[in-house]
């Protein structure tokens, strides 16, 4: 057993995207590839000597090897302590909580989130800061710079640690605490929500289905929903995390969570349904016969959060990513709360949460969270819904209908065009960008363009500026189309087209969103020339 330094040549393309570095698993499995990125993480935070890190991942293929590699590198470079989830497992929100609870210097999370897992699928890694939140752009840029100038990394050479038993062991001079991945997180949930009220509702026959999609949330959902809240055994399906997620695509949306959708849309479906993603930070919420769009979910949660004990004093403000619909803005306005519009990426919410300027955050990409951690949190969102349902005693459909009648409805949809050739997608965006200044006043599909711009964000807390965060076309009737290229894909480019149209509470509130948005969809295709540039006339995924 000894400390060894290994010379390396830098790898190209280790540039973190919307949420850490995501690549094909086999790319990560190349000799020294993961090690080089971990070394760059360490460099970007001034080394790990004397520091404490939380380490864990969503259990996808290569999670186990990656945890051992990171432990060996941390031990070899003088880290004082590592806190690791048993089996190397931690959901993203649970990792964020452990970082905060133990006041550590940060943590490394292994996940490609909602991307499929397996030897031929995707893997990922990201660093979270001592506040529990994803590294901000200044740090991810430092990581990328470090990946390009590395010449070596150091590790402590020793046999793999047995991570299967909850215990405290040592690796060289580093203490390693192998902890229950679920317990602290479940305890935190008990402090936020009215568990007795939810338990009483389940005892009275309320039924639920939670699809964990063979990913990390299974053990968390079983413990919280079935063991602590008394939901019927078997409420949580696909509850065992598997390295390939059992072949499922763990993205909780109507396309990929189709089993759950079919059950919930049936006439004998359960009262409430939910799904979460690979690493447990996303959520989809459903009622019997009712789909709640993530943008609406944020708005409903904001309007009702005070019904849960953890938010009984009210919320400080709301933040949403720019492409998320304006539904939450209407709640903020009615409640006299500040509302912030940030670029896509949970890292942009961190400063607002740390400064106490917002309590709830949400994104159209099935992410919702609060200041209890610094990540979005799938099971948390489901529990807040359960708490609201228990107090109001209504169905999901009734709550949605009342919400729209009061605040109006933002008909909303996102159309994704996946794995298109990157140069074609870039050319389309570049051409649109070049035309932006001349678009105002033009008429498309009977609608007049009010403004067109490329979203830039100045962080209200630290003043940092992020440019080119999505192209926005705003129409005079308040409708909006946004175009962005995804920063989380691993194959070609994914074009996301976000569509939003507001109807007041007195209008027609029960339309199919695709019907309500039909003219906007046509306008979106025409304006950007999607078919001409990409050869695609219809999206691969609609949410
Ligand atoms: C990540 C980010 C989210 C973002 C989502 C989609 O989520 O944390 O903020 O909305 O990716 O990003 P993009 O549109 O660039 O693909 P996750 O759940 O993948 O970590």
């Amino acid at each position: 057993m000894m400390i060894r330094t290994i010379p390396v040549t830098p790898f190209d393309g280790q540039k973190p995207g919307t949420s850490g570095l995501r690549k094909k698993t086999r790319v990560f499995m190349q000799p020294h590839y993961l090690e080089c990125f971990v070394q760059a993480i360490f460099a970007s935070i001034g080394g790990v000597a004397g520091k404490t890190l939380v380490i864990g991942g969503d259990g996808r293929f290569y999670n186990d090897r990656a945890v051992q590699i990171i432990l060996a590198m941390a031990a070899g470079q003088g880290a004082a302590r590592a806190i690791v989830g048993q089996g190397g497992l931690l959901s993203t929100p649970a990792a964020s909580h452990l970082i905060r609870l133990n006041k550590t210097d940060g943590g490394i999370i292994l996940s490609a989130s909602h991307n499929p897992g397996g030897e031929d699928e995707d893997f990922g890694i990201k660093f979270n800061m001592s506040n529990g939140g994803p590294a901000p752009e200044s740090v991810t840029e430092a990581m990328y710079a470090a990946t390009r100038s590395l010449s070596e990394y150091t590790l402590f050479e020793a046999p793999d640690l047995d991570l299967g038993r909850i215990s405290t062991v040592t690796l060289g001079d580093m203490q390693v605490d192998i902890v229950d991945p679920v317990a602290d997180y479940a305890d935190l949930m008990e402090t936020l929500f009215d568990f007795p009220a939810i338990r009483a509702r389940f005892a009275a026959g309320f039924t639920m289905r939670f699809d964990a999609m063979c990913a990390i949330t299974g053990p968390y959902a079983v413990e919280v929903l079935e063991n602590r809240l008394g939901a019927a055994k078997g409420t949580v399906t696909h509850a065992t995390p598997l390295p390939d997620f059992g072949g499922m695509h763990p993205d909780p949306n109507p396309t990929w969570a189709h089993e759950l959708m079919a059950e919930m849309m049936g006439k004998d479906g359960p009262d409430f349904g939910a799904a979460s993603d690979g690493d447990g930070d996303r959520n989809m919420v459903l009622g019997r016969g009712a789909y709640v769009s993530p943008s609406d979910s944020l708005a409903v949660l904001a309007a009702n959060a005070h019904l849960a004990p953890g938010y009984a004093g009210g919320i400080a403000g709301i933040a949403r990513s720019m492409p998320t619909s304006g539904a939450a803005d209407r709640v903020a306005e009615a409640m006299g709360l500040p509302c912030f519009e940030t670029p896509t990426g949970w890292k942009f919410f961190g400063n607002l949460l740390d400064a106490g300027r917002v309590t709830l955050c949400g994104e159209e990409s099935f992410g919702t969270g609060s200041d209890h951690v610094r990540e979005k949190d799938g099971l948390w969102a489901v529990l807040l819904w359960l708490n609201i349902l228990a107090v109001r005693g209504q169905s999901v459909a009734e709550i949605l209908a009342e919400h729209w009648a009061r605040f109006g409805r933002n008909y909303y949809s996102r159309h994704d065009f996946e794995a298109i050739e990157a140069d074609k997608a870039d050319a389309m965006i570049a051409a649109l960008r070049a035309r932006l200044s001349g678009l105002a006043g033009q008429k498309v599909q009977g609608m007049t363009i009010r403004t067109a711009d490329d979203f830039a964000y100045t962080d209200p807390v630290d003043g940092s500026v992020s440019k080119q965060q999505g192209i926005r076309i705003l129409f005079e009737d308040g409708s909006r189309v946004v175009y962005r290229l995804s920063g989380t894909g691993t194959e070609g480019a994914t074009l996301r087209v976000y569509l939003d149209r507001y109807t007041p509470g007195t209008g027609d509130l029960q339309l199919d969103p695709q019907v309500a948005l039909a003219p906007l969809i046509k306008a979106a295709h025409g304006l950007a020339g999607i078919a001409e540039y990409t050869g695609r006339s219809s999206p691969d995924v609609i949410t």
Side-chain angles (χ1 to χ4, degrees):
M1 296 203 283
M2 57 182 281
I3 291 179
R4 264 188 66 192
T5 296
I6 312 224
V8 284
T9 336
F11 288 91
D12 280 339
Q14 291 194 320
K15 187 173 173 39
T18 309
S19 180
L21 184 68
R22 290 186 191 169
K23 300 279 178 195
K24 288 288 166 203
T25 310
R26 286 187 194 276
V27 171
F28 271 103
M29 290 166 70
Q30 300 171 76
H32 313 304
Y33 189 92
L34 175 74
E35 289 86 340
C36 282
F37 191 71
V38 172
Q39 192 63 48
I41 292 177
F42 289 176
S44 73
I45 57 168
V48 289
K51 292 185 177 169
T52 297
L53 297 179
V54 168
I55 302 168
D58 64 12
R60 67 180 62 222
F61 191 90
Y62 203 54
N63 188 113
D64 48 358
R65 283 301 326 134
V67 171
Q68 298 286 352
I69 289 169
I70 296 163
L71 284 170
M73 289 181 63
Q77 299 184 37
R81 184 179 167 213
I83 300 172
V84 189
Q86 185 182 17
L89 300 180
L90 282 176
S91 77
T92 290
S96 181
H97 178 51
L98 281 183
I99 292 170
R100 295 167 66 78
L101 183 69
N102 295 287
K103 301 192 169 34
T104 73
D105 299 288
I108 295 182
I109 301 176
L110 302 159
S111 172
S113 187
H114 55 290
N115 298 11
E119 201 166 358
D120 293 313
E121 298 292 352
D122 294 353
F123 192 78
I125 174 169
K126 69 171 177 169
F127 184 76
N128 280 30
M129 311 294 284
S130 58
N131 71 346
E137 277 189 334
S138 55
V139 177
T140 56
E141 275 157 20
M143 274 174 211
Y144 182 47
T147 65
R148 292 187 290 178
S149 59
L150 282 175
S151 56
E152 58 182 39
Y153 66 87
T154 304
L155 82 170
F156 182 77
E157 247 183 4
D160 283 356
L161 285 181
D162 173 9
L163 300 176
R165 256 181 345 109
I166 293 174
S167 54
T168 294
V169 295
T170 53
L171 188 61
D173 293 332
M174 183 175 80
Q175 175 180 324
V176 181
D177 295 315
I178 302 159
V179 301
D180 180 335
V182 176
D184 288 320
Y185 174 86
D187 291 348
L188 174 66
M189 294 301 112
E190 287 215 42
T191 67
L192 298 174
F193 302 114
D194 189 345
F195 271 40
I198 303 172
R199 207 178 290 124
R201 195 88 203 276
F202 277 123
F206 182 83
T207 53
M208 175 175 180
R209 174 74 62 230
F210 184 100
D211 192 342
M213 303 189 88
C214 301
I216 192 70
T217 324
Y220 295 85
V222 168
E223 172 61 14
V224 173
L225 298 173
E226 297 185 11
N227 298 346
R228 298 198 186 192
L229 288 170
K233 295 285 171 216
T235 291
V236 184
T237 52
H238 301 120
T240 306
L242 300 172
D244 65 349
F245 303 129
M248 295 181 89
H249 186 152
D251 195 355
N253 63 41
T255 302
W256 294 116
H258 47 83
E259 253 181 67
L260 176 70
M261 280 302 280
E263 187 177 2
M264 295 305 300
M265 296 305 143
K267 71 173 170 30
D268 297 323
D271 295 308
F272 185 56
S276 65
D277 69 333
D279 62 332
D281 55 4
R282 295 185 176 205
N283 74 93
M284 177 171 72
V285 161
L286 303 157
R288 185 183 302 119
Y291 162 71
V292 186
S293 85
S295 297
D296 278 345
S297 182
L298 173 65
V300 171
L301 293 180
N304 293 279
H306 60 279
L307 301 178
Y311 308 93
I315 57 175
I318 309 170
R320 65 165 172 86
S321 66
M322 181 274 282
T324 303
S325 93
D329 306 33
R330 299 179 193 283
V331 174
E333 198 186 336
M335 295 172 76
L337 294 171
C339 187
F340 297 86
E341 188 177 35
T342 65
T344 295
W346 205 262
K347 58 192 171 213
F348 292 103
F349 294 137
N351 278 347
L352 295 168
L353 290 164
D354 284 348
R357 294 176 72 167
V358 301
T359 307
L360 295 195
C361 306
E363 295 189 285
E364 51 65 40
S365 57
F366 297 84
T368 340
S370 88
D371 59 358
H372 67 291
V373 290
R374 291 295 181 275
E375 286 279 1
K376 55 189 184 273
D377 187 344
L379 192 51
W380 168 90
V382 170
L383 289 167
L384 182 48
W385 264 98
L386 276 172
N387 198 141
I388 292 164
L389 290 165
V391 173
R392 289 184 53 166
Q394 291 171 297
S395 70
V396 171
E398 286 164 346
I399 287 177
L400 270 183
E402 277 188 20
H403 186 92
W404 292 332
R406 177 171 170 206
F407 297 101
R409 178 172 182 183
N410 281 76
Y411 281 105
Y412 186 81
S413 186
R414 188 179 95 190
H415 288 198
D416 289 346
F417 302 78
E418 294 179 341
I420 50 186
E421 286 168 48
D423 51 348
K424 293 184 176 166
D426 290 342
M428 192 200 89
I429 294 288
L432 189 56
R433 196 169 270 144
R435 288 169 44 223
L436 284 179
S437 57
L439 287 180
Q442 282 192 25
K443 236 182 172 171
V444 204
Q445 298 293 321
M447 302 173 300
T448 307
I449 297 176
R450 180 157 56 85
T451 54
D453 67 4
D454 201 347
F455 181 60
Y457 178 66
T458 303
D459 186 300
V461 179
D462 67 16
S464 57
V465 176
S466 305
K467 292 188 175 154
Q468 299 200 334
Q469 297 294 323
I471 291 178
R472 301 189 289 190
I473 315 275
L474 304 164
F475 296 90
E476 279 186 346
D477 66 357
S479 302
R480 186 182 73 156
V481 178
V482 174
Y483 305 86
R484 258 188 84 243
L485 296 182
S486 159
T488 57
T490 58
E491 237 180 291
T494 294
L495 167 68
R496 304 202 195 283
V497 181
Y498 309 82
L499 307 138
D500 185 358
R501 199 199 103 194
Y502 179 69
T503 299
T506 47
D508 196 345
L509 300 172
Q510 296 292 341
L511 294 175
D512 173 344
Q514 302 309 316
V515 173
L517 294 167
L520 208 54
I521 295 169
K522 272 204 186 128
H525 277 262
L527 276 166
I530 295 176
E532 291 83 332
Y533 277 97
T534 70
R536 306 284 181 83
S537 50
S538 54
D540 301 287
V541 174
I542 294 181
T543 59

